[in-house]
Amino acid sequence: MPGSTLETPILIVGGGPVGLALACDLGLRGTSCLLIEQGEGLPDHPRATALNSRSMEFMRRWGIADAVHAAGTPDDFPHTALYCTSFTGYEIARIERPAHGGREPIKQSPERPQRCNQLFLDPLLTKLARSLDHVELRHRHCLESISEGADHVIATVHDRANDQRLRIAASYLIDCSGGRSVIRPALGIEMSGSPYVGYFLSIFVRAPQLWKHHAMGKAALVTFVDARGLWRNLISLDGRELYRLGVTGKPYYDAPDQVDAESFFREAVGKDVPHEILSIRRWLARNVVADRYRHDRIFLAGDAAHLNHPAAGLGLNTGLGDAVDLGWKLSATLAGWGGARLLDSYEPERRPVGIRNIGHADISHSSERQQPTHPEIAMDTAAGADARRRMGEDLMRIQTRRVITDGLALGYQYTPSPIVCDDGTAPHSSSTVEYRPTTFPGSRAPHAWLADGRSTLDLFGNGFTLLRLGVGAPQPLTMERAFAQRGVPLSSISIVDPPIATLYERRLVLVRPDGHVAWRGDEEPADSLAVVDHVRGAESSLHRR
Ligand SMILES: Cc1cc2nc3c(=O)[nH]c(=O)nc-3n(C[C@H](O)[C@H](O)[C@H](O)COP(=O)(O)OP(=O)(O)OC[C@H]3O[C@@H](n4cnc5c(N)ncnc54)[C@H](O)[C@@H]3O)c2cc1C
């Protein structure tokens, strides 16, 4: 292979939203990385739309939350999940999500869930990544193979623009190349999980102000029900004119060219309305998680590590969480203050979240598949009305926890984790639907508004943050000295506001650069150096206990 070898500390393979998010997180931390993407970097068909509050908190930290709000669904567009026979037929159930969308403050987060399809999100992440000095993006570069040395990984890459092969040597390689990763199989890493395989068609449609043509009103997710059950849905992508019509069924998947997309759309709406079919793609859904997230210097993130049916809207949101967990750990390791065990904590922290989220997607989607069918569901008869009532009750009971997952979004905890200090208390867990704030070690540190209008979450991100809470909080002098001694960046901040002190449960709370609680106590620890070493992933006496 002619030409020299390019060198980079971190090679990110795949410029989907997870690879881009990781590049942004690293770049904002001043850590150099190179991202290669086989395509042009412009999504041409819609995939993920629903960003949960946690993902929006990441956007906020990266400084693009306002841009995501502006590019996404308008604030007044309801995040309603509607079930009906067609837009001109019968309504069966309606799940409102008043805490989603809009800009009114909510209690649990400074950011409400926002709908912003990848068609709009990916360009925003690309723009941010391009603006960062430490990030290099190379499109039309396809990874072909990898080989591993003692202290580096070598990637062989096809530069499609110039039809040349090049070698890239990286200290770490992050596989963000999605569900069709060539890296994961090359490493012999299997995916395990549910045997479920779903066959789908995704029809991208433009239909300006569709809600003006029917009486059901605006809704973000519409599931159409007929005698066959729930096999078609319409997702609003921009709250204006763009939709994704999803159709389930192997025959459609096997022969997409023979599908009459026009008829599908007309049946869903119930009449002819102005529209344009923009593109049709087929896709396979599975609910699986990689058996390992790491192989020496190679890490898997996003769809390369876990795949799920998108019914619960968790794929991209889970992947963004992977990127955020990896970002500060890679930066700290390369900066020298991250200990030898820091990167080891990625898999035990993130794989359980992947397993839990993919498990939820599997349960919630199987409940939809197993929904009993009613041949008379669309009939204008007493039996039809009765079938709609019964199905409506079932859907409200079962589907609410599919479409409202605020507890999953904000309540995930890294416990047990090799770099979180267990304080011997019992976990304080959220349900799927409802988030319960807590500083239980490993949890996302809770949000509260500060007197100056910032969120507590705005205090976190650069290095560790040690919060002193309440009027009598101790001066953490030995902890501050221990962080300085180990060269670990620390901000020590006092918050006297009594409600925030109560919310935070302890007088001292140590928060990691990703916003998760690393340690808490009412007094300084007996051995501050041991705590610092534990949370930075270095060998410590706490690890030996
Ligand atoms: C119809 C549908 C709807 C969805 N809705 C939601 C939702 O509402 N909410 C949600 O959270 N998730 C949703 N998802 C899931 C979401 O789209 C994915 O989880 C997300 O795109 C994963 O991002 P990623 O960056 O990990 O992978 P991808 O988006 O797949 O990106 C991988 C990138 O890697 C590139 N690549 C692959 N191989 C190579 C190589 N060898 N060399 C270089 N580049 C390579 C690819 O070109 C691609 O750009 C949905 C998915 C589908 C299919």
Side-chain angles (χ1 to χ4, degrees), residues 198-531:
Y199 299 87
F200 297 90
L201 271 196
S202 167
I203 303 171
F204 184 20
V205 191
R206 172 179 289 126
Q209 301 191 327
L210 180 58
W211 55 89
K212 288 197 172 162
H213 300 274
H214 61 79
M216 298 269 179
K218 295 178 184 175
L221 314 172
V222 183
T223 305
F224 301 104
V225 187
D226 69 6
R228 280 172 61 188
L230 288 64
W231 59 282
R232 294 158 306 161
N233 60 31
L234 191 74
I235 311 287
S236 168
L237 305 176
D238 65 350
R240 298 174 184 90
E241 59 173 9
L242 298 177
Y243 297 86
R244 183 168 59 72
L245 177 63
V247 179
T248 314
K250 190 150 187 316
Y252 311 125
Y253 177 90
D254 286 342
D257 298 346
Q258 287 163 36
V259 163
D260 183 354
E262 296 288 344
S263 303
F264 275 133
F265 186 71
R266 200 169 35 249
E267 278 168 29
V269 178
K271 65 179 187 186
D272 278 320
V273 300
H275 72 276
E276 184 188 355
I277 306 283
L278 300 171
S279 55
I280 302 178
R281 294 283 157 79
R282 59 184 195 159
W283 55 283
L284 270 184
R286 301 177 65 207
N287 293 321
V288 286
V289 182
D291 293 346
R292 285 178 289 135
Y293 274 27
R294 179 181 186 180
H295 177 92
D296 296 332
R297 294 178 165 269
I298 301 172
F299 297 81
L300 313 184
D303 275 19
H306 41 77
L307 289 169
N308 67 275
H309 184 277
L314 289 169
L316 170 58
N317 290 302
T318 310
L320 293 175
D322 299 341
V324 166
D325 192 75
L326 265 178
W328 75 274
K329 292 176 181 174
L330 287 165
S331 293
T333 303
L334 289 166
W337 59 262
R341 306 162 64 122
L342 187 58
L343 288 168
D344 291 345
S345 65
Y346 171 64
E347 179 176 310
E349 291 196 343
R350 290 305 303 173
R351 191 165 170 272
V353 177
I355 290 171
R356 188 202 59 171
N357 288 0
I358 273 55
H360 173 76
D362 198 43
I363 291 168
S364 58
H365 183 242
S366 64
S367 68
E368 194 174 278
R369 293 198 308 277
Q370 287 156 11
Q371 180 70 42
T373 54
H374 299 273
E376 64 282 15
I377 194 85
M379 291 180 186
D380 182 16
T381 60
D386 186 52
R388 290 191 287 278
R389 182 189 53 74
R390 281 185 288 131
M391 184 182 263
E393 286 168 7
D394 271 2
L395 290 172
M396 291 301 288
R397 188 169 42 80
I398 297 164
Q399 296 298 319
T400 300
R401 67 188 294 281
R402 171 169 84 81
V403 297
I404 304 182
T405 52
D406 298 347
L408 288 186
L410 298 173
Y412 60 95
Q413 298 170 341
Y414 297 143
T415 175
S417 160
I419 59 162
V420 164
C421 299
D422 179 2
D423 69 354
T425 57
H428 182 85
S429 305
S430 297
S431 69
T432 297
V433 177
E434 262 177 78
Y435 162 70
R436 291 177 65 195
T438 177
T439 54
F440 178 75
S443 316
R444 158 191 166 278
H447 153 73
W449 292 113
L450 300 164
D452 62 8
R454 288 181 300 165
S455 161
T456 46
L457 272 56
D458 298 332
L459 305 175
F460 314 139
N462 296 321
F464 281 80
T465 308
L466 182 55
L467 296 181
R468 287 176 285 129
L469 295 133
V471 178
Q475 282 293 336
L477 296 177
T478 62
M479 281 192 96
E480 287 168 5
R481 264 198 302 274
F483 272 87
Q485 196 174 329
R486 293 293 193 243
V488 180
L490 175 77
S491 312
S492 192
I493 297 174
S494 168
I495 300 177
V496 289
D497 184 333
I500 300 181
T502 305
L503 176 72
Y504 267 70
E505 302 173 296
R506 297 290 186 279
R507 299 197 302 171
L508 295 173
V509 177
L510 178 66
V511 182
R512 313 188 322 185
D514 61 351
H516 283 256
V517 175
W519 170 90
R520 66 177 181 174
D522 283 325
E523 305 297 337
E524 286 205 272
D527 185 345
S528 290
L529 265 182
V531 167

